[in-house]
Amino acid sequence: MLTWLLKLSWPALRHQAGRQLLALLAICLGVALSFAVHLLNSSALDEFGRASASLNGQPDLVLRAADGGGLPESLFARVAQDPAISLAAPVIEGQAQLRDAKGQPFNLRLIGWDALAAAVMNPQLLPNSGAKTSGGLTALIDPQQVWLNAAALQRLAPAARERGQALTLRAASADNGQALSLDLNLAGSVSAPGSPLAVMDIAAAQLLLSRLGRIDRIDLRLHNTGISPQAWLAQQSWPAGISAAPPPDEGARLSELTRAYRVNLSVLSLMALFTGSLLLFSVMSLSVAQRLPQWALLGVLGMTARERATMLLSEALLLGLIGSALGLLLGWGMAQLGLQVLGSQLGLSRSHATLAFEQLPWGAAAAFGALGVLVSLLSAALPALELRRLPVAQVLKGLGSQSALGLPAWLGPSLLTLGLGLAMLPPLPRSSGWAEVPLGAYAAMLSLLLGGIACVPQLLRLSMRALAHWPGASRSALLLLVRERARDQAGEASRALAGVLVSLSLSVSMLVMVGSFRLSLDDWLSRMLPADLYVRASLATGLDGQTAPLPTEFVEAVSASGLSEHLQPQRSDRIQLQGNSERFALMARRIDEARLPLQGDLARPEPQGTGKLGKIAEQDLTPIYISEALRDTLALRPGQRLMLLQPGGLNENAAASTPGAEQKPGLPAYVRGVWRDYARQSGAVLMPLDAYQRWRGDTRITELLIWLPEGQTAGPAIRRLRAIAAQPQDIEIAESADLREMSMKIFDRSFAVTVWLQAVTLAIGLFGIAAAQSAQMLARKREFGLLLHLGFCRADVLRLLLLEAGLLCAVGALAGLSLGLGLSAVLVWVLNPQSFHWSMDMHIPVARLAALAGAMWLAGVAAAWLAGRRAASDAAVHAVKEDW
């Protein structure tokens, strides 16, 4: 049966090849974009997971110092003698610098290990199997040798990549942040993927990082004697501040951190498929309209209503299968191109990467292919249902078809109201794991889109009532015909406008959201970067990329040089909050509340109450300013009292689970206000520098903000600053204008994919307009022939069509603008704050929106005029004669 229907469908598909090609293009692009985005996201996560696994190895447990200060080597000797331990491997971790092919320093991760003890757990840190290593096993423990991975080798000059070449590694001392250097020989390469990496013997790493007598972690593997890691931990009695836990799943952590971005990008890519479904719906409606006499003749010859509907669905199935297959191939190619162009931005190990065919996720490919087929069948469902209700005798007599299904008047306003209600739903609780995925906002946007489509008939009737009061409307035959048709065929108008309404509203919403975000970011940069120059150390300490403190002598020399009109020091660090184990970014500086991008009002401390913090007087509390992400993550509120812990300070849970652990002295504080932080998606704290220095007893700073005297340019000042520095290569100096320009470039690059997706959606919507207008014109061919017989000339018919199209497209453009503004409000005020914890000020670019709506209106009118010229030709007269 299906084979017979497909044989009948194929001539129709071939006869309408041009329009069917549009439908194939819509399905193909929708599937391709969705599949490509999925491949890019999954590839980045897989690559990061493989890189983390290669660096962390496969231990059962990892011992660390909770304060980040390192473990004593004596602890390693004690643990290694435990009879339950089969392997114990000490590891040093840090950051170092090398010079690239252009002589510029670049940072790379540094791992110092005992290769003889840890090779089983970290095989990817061993030299590549194809590389010849002089010295055999002794080279692995030679403190003069260093191995680099592929990402690090690519950054070096070609001559420096040869085995035996001398390399100078620089790093910041763990004690005072001073720059240290070590001359080593390149022994070869390791296969560890990911970002640039250097591997060396643990003794050399301890010397370079000034950690003699200390190690960062101990990787443990237990004997297979039936004892579990938890049971072994319960038997131990560690000194204070030691944490023991299984190795963290960095891939899962990155997946959690990037979930909101990946989901939003995937939903945006699916919008192209949704818009394509409307184009396919228009093509199917056009196919039915063109072949009404043939459908009716088939019905008279014995084809049942069910068989007619099945035949149309078989056409949609064939289009869906071909379009999905082409879309999967195109998506694979787009993902390959994306990895070549955007590989480094996706966190891949190489600047250029490819996906091997064996890496193709067949399950995901089948899912996206099935989605394309499903969308194709759903797009043809309504035309197929109308085809089942086709009055064949009436159509054969030339009386047309009245089988169109109308929507109830209450449906549109109800869906719009439902969308508003869904947008107001709070985010999911953090315990669900989907707190940063605003499902309510997505449901609200879908409800608003469907509600806007359902409201088109009512909007068209309202516009007709307004047209009735136009001067001379009652005496114009053309306006009378326009009014009567709009009143009787308002349901068909909603189908014709579905594509333009959805594509225009989505384009408007993205345009407003991205523009609002960009202007808010520009304002934020002007507030957060008020100085002329910014100075910091180029070296980093720790694996979190924390900037090393500036040399005290350099800071004092800059202050005494008279170079600046005003100088402001800043300290960047990490802190914890009592009751939470996460570490958050901290910036300590002089606070100017007038310049802070605050959200909401400033607050005083909450009244004193019970508990330790509640008994502290207000003057003894330090005011802090938290980012929106920290407020949402920990459910904090302005005025709330809380305790700041020194970096690595144990929280209550860790202290309870670690015998002998004690809390380090904390700083009682209260939330003075909430500020926007576009630089970090995780939480951040801003506090006064003097309060930080009194609390920590550390007067070192990590950044200098310099205001130059009036009339002085940045170039000479930068040269003087480098001359003051004892090691100019360890100092980074940037102008505020350069930082702003770089930030805006990063923003534009990050949102470039949304611009392309928006363009594809808009293009599909324009194709939908043309297809819908063609369907309307072909279905009305006999109507135009009758008007010509009654005395209308061809120019009168074209004027009628232009009036109808102009009115219809104007309603669609205004509805699309209004609906797009509603969607943009959901994006700006609901989706972005819930997904990324970033609020922004809504900005409406009136001129660009007017141009966009005008272009859509012109496209719709032009499509109607081109289709009307053909429909109002002499063939329309012959179509009427066929009924005589």
Side-chain angles (χ1 to χ4, degrees), residues 561-634:
S561 66
L563 177 66
S564 62
E565 180 180 348
H566 176 59
L567 191 68
Q568 178 176 314
Q570 177 175 293
R571 178 61 186 267
S572 297
D573 205 341
R574 291 278 181 177
I575 63 165
Q576 290 178 231
L577 302 180
Q578 190 173 29
N580 191 276
S581 60
E582 296 183 56
R583 304 176 72 180
F584 302 102
L586 168 71
M587 291 184 296
R589 61 194 291 186
R590 184 180 62 83
I591 304 298
D592 183 1
E593 292 181 345
R595 291 196 61 87
L596 278 182
L598 294 171
Q599 295 301 297
D601 298 328
L602 297 171
R604 306 298 302 175
E606 294 176 342
Q608 292 183 336
T610 60
K612 184 177 179 180
L613 284 175
K615 296 177 181 179
I616 298 177
E618 178 177 337
Q619 61 270 19
D620 296 327
L621 295 172
T622 299
I624 65 171
Y625 306 81
I626 62 174
S627 67
E628 295 173 304
L630 187 58
R631 175 199 61 190
D632 298 339
T633 301
L634 301 183

Side-chain angles (χ1 to χ4, degrees), residues 116 151 159 172 178 251 278 305 366 455 548 609 648 671 683 775:
L116 300 181
Q178 296 295 323
L278 299 177
C455 282
V671 179

Side-chain angles (χ1 to χ4, degrees), residues 111-402:
I111 292 184
W113 69 325
D114 184 351
L116 300 181
V120 176
M121 287 187 285
N122 298 79
Q124 288 190 293
L125 297 184
L126 290 171
N128 282 324
S129 58
K132 296 181 180 179
T133 303
S134 60
L137 291 177
T138 59
L140 298 176
I141 57 175
D142 186 349
Q144 297 296 320
Q145 306 288 340
V146 64
W147 286 264
L148 303 179
N149 69 343
L153 288 173
Q154 287 179 357
R155 301 289 297 272
L156 300 179
R161 302 173 192 171
E162 298 296 329
R163 189 176 297 109
Q165 290 295 319
L167 299 176
T168 299
L169 267 72
R170 297 178 58 81
S173 169
D175 295 325
N176 52 24
Q178 296 295 323
L180 301 174
S181 62
L182 188 64
D183 294 329
L184 301 169
N185 296 321
L186 179 60
S189 63
V190 296
S191 59
S195 57
L197 170 71
V199 179
M200 62 177 62
D201 182 67
I202 189 170
Q206 287 177 314
L207 181 63
L208 178 60
L209 299 176
S210 185
R211 298 182 190 174
L212 296 178
R214 290 177 293 172
I215 52 181
D216 288 319
R217 76 174 198 247
I218 303 175
D219 295 343
L220 302 177
R221 182 172 289 182
L222 303 179
H223 280 296
N224 189 18
T225 57
I227 185 172
S228 66
Q230 293 75 17
W232 182 82
L233 280 176
Q235 300 172 5
Q236 307 305 310
S237 178
W238 303 112
I242 304 298
S243 67
D249 187 348
E250 296 294 339
R253 185 180 66 86
L254 181 67
S255 176
E256 179 71 21
L257 290 176
T258 61
R259 176 182 294 165
Y261 175 79
R262 291 182 291 107
V263 170
N264 287 334
L265 192 60
S266 299
V267 170
L268 184 58
S269 66
L270 288 174
M271 286 299 179
L273 186 58
F274 177 66
T275 309
S277 68
L278 299 177
L279 173 58
L280 184 58
F281 169 75
S282 299
V283 169
M284 286 299 171
S285 299
L286 174 61
S287 175
V288 172
Q290 277 187 308
R291 294 183 285 164
L292 277 179
Q294 291 90 332
W295 291 116
L297 181 59
L298 288 174
V300 171
L301 294 177
M303 179 177 281
T304 64
R306 180 178 180 180
E307 289 173 341
R308 292 196 302 270
T310 305
M311 181 177 174
L312 186 65
L313 290 175
S314 66
E315 296 179 12
L317 175 62
L318 187 58
L319 288 174
L321 290 172
I322 298 175
S324 296
L326 294 176
L328 292 176
L329 292 175
L330 180 60
W332 177 261
M334 293 171 65
Q336 295 279 18
L337 179 63
L339 291 179
Q340 291 288 326
V341 177
L342 305 173
S344 60
Q345 297 177 21
L346 290 170
L348 299 179
S349 59
R350 296 163 298 220
S351 58
H352 300 290
T354 58
L355 285 170
F357 185 75
E358 57 269 15
Q359 293 178 279
L360 177 66
W362 294 102
F368 282 101
L371 180 62
V373 173
L374 179 62
V375 166
S376 179
L377 291 175
L378 290 177
S379 302
L382 187 59
L385 183 58
E386 293 179 357
L387 196 57
R388 291 194 61 167
R389 303 172 65 247
L390 183 70
V392 292
Q394 181 177 322
V395 171
L396 284 178
K397 292 179 181 179
L399 300 178
S401 171
Q402 301 296 327

